[in-house]
Amino acid sequence: MSGVLQVFNPYDRGLFTTLEAVDEAEAFAALDRAYALYRDRSRHIRPHERIAILERAAGLMRERREELIHEAVMEGGKPWADSVVEVDRAINGFAVAVQELATGHGEEVPMTSTPAAAGRLAMTMREPRGVVMAISAFNHPVNLLVHQVVPAFAAGCPALVKPASATPVSCRNVVRLLHEAGVPEEWVQFLPCSGAVAEKLVADERVAFLSFIGSARVGWMLRSRLAPGATCALEHGGAAPVIVDATADLDAHVPALVKGGFYHAGQVCVSVQRIYAHASIAGELARKMATAAERLVVGNPLDPRTEVGPLINPAEVERVEAWVNEAREAGAQVLCGGERFSDTCYKPTVLFNPSDDVQVSQQEVFGPVVCVYSYTDRDEAIARANALPYAFQASVIAQDIDAALYAVRRLDAMAVMVNDHTAFRVDWMPFGGYRRSGMGVGGIAHSMREMSVEKLMVIKSPSL
């Protein structure tokens, strides 16, 4: 073992627990086991057996739901009410994987269009791509693991799992439940190792697929280390834009925008961050959002009444504070918040018309800060929304369907929500970003397809 990994409660910074870390030799021994398993077809688990195991695992998660929620809150700091939603989503994720595993299939490739193809029957079939290396993030410690590891096992791929250093307990819990449900230990291996060890694993030619959720800096670096032939799915952050048309019903949509901006203290890759509102309503929208944000309950995430909990560590509070102060000094109006709640929490903050050049306008805040900007020309607003090198999810708020569709067609995003916040997601929809926001497509069924290869079989027969 390479040492002890300490896990701290983000709210009070008390030591929650410790775990033994895995050193380089142990990590590569795990890769040896995973690759040998992948190459030995006699040890592969049949699809109907995988389905039964996944259904048992979902049942075990239901039985231990309260424990999973409690430990996720203790190490990740997401408020209890939101962690309930996360764990319930994770449980449902097993059903999504089972459905894809039960109904996913190849297809017949037509061989009738030319004389050269005559007398042949061609069809595709799915096979596992190989060993999956899954590197996860702290902000959804249960559900992200389900989105990375369950698709790998369902697709027939052995998986190595490196948790975020801040939230390894939830990862360990999910892996243990899979083993208890019948997943052999070699199929899903928990590796709480250092980033340096993970980087070496990623570069090994035996790793066929990298599933990474985290910062763009690390994700693109790891992609550059992949061996020839390996593929990846990278999920980074964004600075999600919202276009609010003059026809928008503000009272109807402010609650969703507030939820999308301050959910998990803004530590969400598609959190509402930049709202471009028509000048005729921008001031009113900003004030309504500030009034709603001031009512949010900030505090201990174990309290079911808490709506905004801590940031993952005090350094993040200091960073968010510095970014808000920079925007204030450059002329932004601070309509609410703008200061710490404590050493670990930052007050929900609404900024009106910050400069386009300050960091809250240029970078992903990943904190409880929402910016509202005024515009008069919708093309200019869309151009400002598209100006950053991120493209993940966006939204448009409008009663006028033509105005909504105009923005949908022109916003740079992998998904655009109409009359909803940018952080909407269900686990069977495609999910991902492009430009610096990532590559590949998430969503459980989509991940299963990316972790598979389509093999073509062509049968030649005089009977055809």
Side-chain angles (χ1 to χ4, degrees), residues 260-325:
F262 299 111
Y263 164 67
H264 197 9
Q267 298 171 115
V268 179
C269 58
V270 287
S271 175
V272 170
Q273 181 175 326
R274 298 176 296 141
I275 301 177
Y276 297 91
H278 190 271
S280 63
I281 59 168
E284 181 185 3
L285 171 63
R287 288 190 295 274
K288 286 179 179 292
M289 290 201 64
T291 298
E294 285 182 319
R295 296 192 184 115
L296 295 173
V297 178
V298 183
N300 190 337
L302 286 172
D303 186 336
R305 298 169 299 176
T306 296
E307 296 168 285
V308 179
L311 296 180
I312 193 63
N313 59 55
E316 288 298 286
V317 176
E318 293 176 5
R319 178 187 59 79
V320 171
E321 181 179 57
W323 286 18
V324 170
N325 287 341

Side-chain angles (χ1 to χ4, degrees), residues 69-412:
I69 294 166
H70 180 266
E71 297 206 328
V73 173
M74 288 295 291
E75 68 174 353
K78 183 186 293 181
W80 183 274
D82 294 326
S83 293
V84 168
V85 174
E86 177 185 345
V87 171
D88 286 344
R89 278 182 60 190
I91 293 169
N92 184 66
F94 285 84
V96 178
V98 165
Q99 182 178 18
E100 175 65 18
L101 187 50
T103 61
H105 57 82
E107 60 183 14
E108 182 178 352
V109 179
M111 301 296 281
T112 58
S113 59
T114 67
R120 290 171 174 83
L121 175 66
M123 63 190 73
T124 62
M125 61 192 82
R126 291 189 193 175
E127 293 189 349
R129 187 174 291 277
V131 176
V132 170
M133 179 74 196
I135 300 177
S136 201
F138 76 84
N139 53 339
H140 309 292
V142 178
N143 200 38
L144 290 183
L145 257 295
V146 168
H147 272 259
Q148 293 175 286
V149 175
V150 168
F153 175 72
C157 298
L160 306 177
V161 191
K162 182 202 175 300
S165 59
T167 55
V169 176
S170 294
C171 175
R172 182 197 63 189
N173 291 343
V174 172
V175 171
R176 283 179 173 176
L177 283 171
L178 286 169
H179 292 163
E180 188 175 342
V183 176
E185 291 192 9
E186 295 91 342
W187 278 98
V188 178
Q189 298 181 72
F190 174 58
L191 300 181
C193 60
S194 69
V197 170
E199 183 180 340
K200 291 180 180 179
L201 286 172
V202 165
D204 193 286
E205 62 182 8
R206 294 169 294 176
V207 170
F209 190 91
L210 167 65
S211 172
F212 174 83
I213 303 173
S215 74
R217 178 186 62 81
V218 175
W220 294 119
M221 179 275 292
L222 291 176
R223 178 189 176 230
S224 73
R225 303 289 197 271
L226 290 174
T231 60
C232 65
L234 309 177
E235 184 184 309
H236 304 147
V242 181
I243 304 295
V244 183
D245 185 69
T247 65
D249 182 342
L250 299 186
D251 289 333
H253 296 295
V254 162
L257 291 175
V258 169
K259 181 65 176 178
F262 299 111
Y263 164 67
H264 197 9
Q267 298 171 115
V268 179
C269 58
V270 287
S271 175
V272 170
Q273 181 175 326
R274 298 176 296 141
I275 301 177
Y276 297 91
H278 190 271
S280 63
I281 59 168
E284 181 185 3
L285 171 63
R287 288 190 295 274
K288 286 179 179 292
M289 290 201 64
T291 298
E294 285 182 319
R295 296 192 184 115
L296 295 173
V297 178
V298 183
N300 190 337
L302 286 172
D303 186 336
R305 298 169 299 176
T306 296
E307 296 168 285
V308 179
L311 296 180
I312 193 63
N313 59 55
E316 288 298 286
V317 176
E318 293 176 5
R319 178 187 59 79
V320 171
E321 181 179 57
W323 286 18
V324 170
N325 287 341
E326 177 199 31
R328 188 194 334 248
E329 291 166 5
Q333 297 180 49
V334 181
L335 301 187
C336 69
E339 61 184 359
R340 299 183 186 200
F341 178 83
S342 67
D343 288 342
T344 59
C345 299
Y346 196 82
K347 289 184 178 181
T349 298
V350 175
L351 303 178
F352 187 52
N353 278 330
S355 167
D356 284 346
D357 298 325
V358 296
Q359 291 186 88
V360 294
S361 300
Q362 289 287 317
Q363 304 292 333
E364 180 182 29
V365 175
F366 221 62
V369 178
V370 174
C371 304
V372 180
Y373 310 83
S374 176
Y375 75 86
T376 54
D377 178 84
R378 66 179 177 181
D379 287 321
E380 176 227 351
I382 292 170
R384 291 168 72 189
N386 291 341
L388 302 187
Y390 311 106
F392 211 138
Q393 295 197 167
S395 75
V396 54
I397 309 294
Q399 293 294 95
D400 182 340
I401 188 63
D402 293 328
L405 294 176
Y406 187 92
V408 168
R409 285 292 192 182
R410 289 161 178 79
L411 282 168
D412 292 342

